[in-house]
Structure formats: C-alpha cells, structure tokens
Amino acid sequence: MSSDIATFAQTFYEALLARQPEEDRLVTMTIRLLHPSILMHCRKDVQSYLFFGNHWPCAARRSNLASDGKADVPLFTEAIRVVPSESDDDPEDAKPPPSASYGRWVPRLLSMSLLVPKVPRTSRTMPVPWRDSVTDYTSITIDMPSLRLPDAHESADLVVGLPVFLDTGSATSVLPWPVYVAIATLWLGFPEPEVNTAYSVYCPDHLDLDDYDIDFAFQGEDGSPVHFRCQASRFLKSPFRHPSDCGFELPIEVGDVDNPGTDWFLGQNFFWTAFIRFECSFRGERPVEGNSTVQLRFAAQRVKSASGHVVNDTEIAFHSDPQAIEAFRTGRSILAYND
C-alpha cells in the first residue's frame, strides 16, 4: 500500500470526533460479506462487517499459522482503477482527468478464468493445497465483450473491458448474454441455448466448485490487468437449490449487451468472495488538493497458511483485543492475533 494512504487514512470514529462537515483526507473503507451458507455455523467472532481504516480488523486464527504470523491476513491486489461517472475520461488513460466525478464504484472487468484442478480433490492428499503453479490447473477464460460507451457516436471505437458496478444491494450479478452463455457452456457444461427456448442454468452437484478458483482480471491504475483470484463456489453458487434439485441456483442474471446504457453489476455473490477495500480522496466533483485517488483493492476471503494450505473464510475472525488494532495503526505496538 502506498505511503500516502498510510499517512492520510483515518477511522470513521476520528472523522466524527473532528466534527468537520467534510473530510478531506484519504479515507479507506473495507467491506466483508460472508456467504449465507456459513453464517449459521461459524464462530461469533467471524462476521460480515463494514470497517473504516487502513488496517485489518481480523486475521486467520493463530493455530492455523506459523508463530511468526507472516501469513495471518489475506493479501490485497494492486490498485484497481475506478471509472468516473462523468468526465472527459479516455478509457485508455491511466489517471482520471481533473473534470472527473464519481457517483458509483465501477471497475473495468477484462476477463474471468475458471481454474480447474488437474488432480481432483478425491485423489489428493488432504487438506487442499494452495495452488500457485499453472501446471496445477486448467484455465478456462471468458473475455469480456468490447462495448461502446453510452451516448457515444456509432463511429466511436469500442472500449475494451466491461464497466461493472459493485453493488451490495443486488442479490445477483448482471452480465451480458454472451458471458452468461459462456459460463453455462464452458464452465458448467450446459449445451448451447436453442432459439426461443427457456435456458435454465444452475451449478450441478457433480462439479466440485468448492475446489475450483476464479481469476478475475480488472484494469489497473496504469491500464495493465490486475488479477484477483478467489474460490469459485462463492461466486457461482447461490444458497438456494435449483427446482430440479440437481444443484444450486446460479446467482447471475442477463443484461442487454446491445443497449449501451445497460448497467452491469457484480452483486452480493462477488462480495462473498472478497474483502473489498475502497480508497477515496474525491468528494463528488471536488478532488482533494494534491491527492486525487479513487481506487479499489480486492483480497480473497482466505489465507495461505505457513504449511502451504488454505485457511478459509470461516477461520478469519475479529481480533480478540480491539485496542490492539488502534495501537497497531498508530505504531505503538505490534498487532498479534490472540486465540
């Protein structure tokens, strides 16, 4: 994380104490949403949350990790660019222009890849190892369609990447029809849809999606791809069974790719995969002087343990001593997770 974030970021509590009508320093906010299937079974200190601050309020349980604690928290990606709501923005430029304004958190999605282990879980030594090598899995990539910006002239160039609105209030994600069909056929094994025929897609029980990963590629601050990798089942499996009782509902709906004004969403099912950090120094149309930052970072809801295995979201819990969080943030002591 950049030094300007460490210098300017503050907690929401500090902003209230200042009693200022507007806060001009760079503020960071992290959201975590747990998948509904685990909420009834996890520990009380494993919760969804909205956190204001530039550090971690939770960590993996110490018993899962090495004594030095180097692997105790998930790792955030590099900064991911947020598309301005209104501006003279060139989608290929790395930095937003001074005229930019922001009404929503909209990164640009470039592709999604399903990572299928070459050796199934039933044939491996348990627990599931962390797979870092491309030789461990088969990658099935879906590239996002190139679209014309809303209100753009018909002769305007198509823009690479899909602008997707991050929305905790949307129960599903909304993606273009070609992407939906690719997920159904390439990832879930359904046949191509027939014309004028209802297309019912779900996550079949025979697919071990808990053992698969998805690699999302987003446009970074410098225009290059930033990869975010997470557990596939959290994104693809709804908590609800399909009427066929052969699998779970797919929490993805279809939008109109031919309508330039269509909004694309990454809804709650994307939030189930990630800790999402929002970093902002804009207030509507007014940037903070000398620090124009609006960006995102993602971290999968899991941790790589010292033994090389996965510590899943059910074991990433709040710190037992909240005062230690503030002590760590201000540099007064070393923050340690205490079972």
Side-chain angles (χ1 to χ4, degrees):
M1 185 174 293
S2 60
S3 59
D4 58 335
I5 294 173
T7 300
F8 291 99
Q10 63 170 353
T11 65
F12 184 57
Y13 179 68
E14 288 173 331
L16 290 177
L17 287 180
R19 297 188 177 184
Q20 296 177 353
E22 294 185 358
E23 175 52 54
D24 287 343
R25 292 182 292 175
L26 178 61
V27 175
T28 63
M29 175 183 74
T30 303
I31 289 179
R32 180 195 193 184
L33 293 185
L34 289 172
H35 192 274
S37 65
I38 68 173
L39 285 174
M40 299 298 294
H41 310 290
C42 59
R43 294 157 43 106
K44 291 184 178 180
D45 54 358
V46 179
Q47 297 290 335
S48 301
Y49 64 75
L50 171 63
F51 178 76
F52 290 85
N54 67 332
H55 55 284
W56 282 103
C58 60
R61 289 171 55 80
R62 180 66 65 195
S63 57
N64 291 313
L65 304 167
S67 58
D68 59 13
K70 290 184 178 179
D72 62 350
V73 294
L75 299 176
F76 277 112
T77 63
E78 296 297 320
I80 293 170
R81 183 189 183 200
V82 174
V83 179
S85 301
E86 298 179 4
S87 73
D88 301 324
D89 182 35
D90 182 346
E92 303 303 323
D93 286 345
K95 295 294 183 181
S99 61
S101 64
Y102 296 85
R104 304 190 299 182
W105 295 91
V106 181
R108 197 175 294 280
L109 178 61
L110 304 177
S111 67
M112 303 185 298
S113 299
L114 186 69
L115 306 181
V116 182
K118 292 182 177 179
V119 180
R121 177 156 49 172
T122 54
S123 302
R124 295 198 307 264
T125 302
M126 296 297 286
V128 180
W130 188 278
R131 298 181 297 272
D132 289 322
S133 172
V134 294
T135 61
D136 293 333
Y137 55 82
T138 299
S139 178
I140 307 173
T141 300
I142 301 173
D143 292 319
M144 296 300 107
S146 297
L147 303 174
R148 187 168 286 108
L149 294 175
D151 302 325
H153 190 271
E154 292 183 359
S155 62
D157 293 336
L158 298 178
V159 175
V160 176
L162 193 69
V164 286
F165 171 36
L166 299 183
D167 184 16
T168 59
S170 178
T172 62
S173 294
V174 179
L175 297 172
W177 171 251
V179 177
Y180 184 83
V181 172
I183 291 174
T185 57
L186 300 179
W187 289 7
L188 303 179
F190 283 84
E192 291 280 349
E194 298 180 5
V195 179
N196 298 325
T197 301
Y199 196 43
S200 180
V201 176
Y202 56 90
C203 296
D205 286 333
H206 67 82
L207 292 181
D208 190 6
L209 293 175
D210 290 337
D211 194 36
Y212 296 5
D213 282 358
I214 294 180
D215 183 288
F216 293 88
F218 294 91
Q219 185 184 58
E221 281 291 294
D222 61 356
S224 61
V226 173
H227 292 270
F228 165 63
R229 181 171 166 179
C230 61
Q231 187 179 26
S233 62
R234 291 290 186 249
F235 182 71
L236 295 175
K237 289 174 66 173
S238 161
F240 306 108
R241 297 287 294 178
H242 188 265
S244 67
D245 201 31
C246 295
F248 286 85
E249 296 275 9
L250 178 69
I252 298 175
E253 297 183 11
V254 180
D256 184 4
V257 73
D258 295 323
N259 181 1
T262 297
D263 285 328
W264 314 106
F265 293 86
L266 288 179
Q268 291 176 10
N269 58 321
F270 182 76
F271 282 79
W272 294 334
T273 72
F275 296 92
I276 300 180
R277 175 166 288 180
F278 304 82
E279 301 172 352
C280 181
S281 62
F282 267 73
R283 297 295 176 268
E285 297 181 355
R286 183 174 63 83
V288 175
E289 184 177 354
N291 188 4
S292 301
T293 299
V294 180
Q295 59 195 28
L296 294 158
R297 299 176 195 267
F298 303 135
Q301 291 203 41
R302 61 186 184 187
V303 175
K304 181 179 180 180
S305 73
S307 61
H309 294 90
V310 175
V311 178
N312 286 317
D313 45 11
T314 56
E315 292 295 321
I316 301 177
F318 283 120
H319 293 287
S320 58
D321 182 5
Q323 292 183 351
I325 299 175
E326 182 64 11
F328 174 75
R329 193 188 67 79
T330 57
R332 292 196 298 268
S333 66
I334 297 176
L335 177 63
Y337 183 85
N338 180 8
D339 282 342

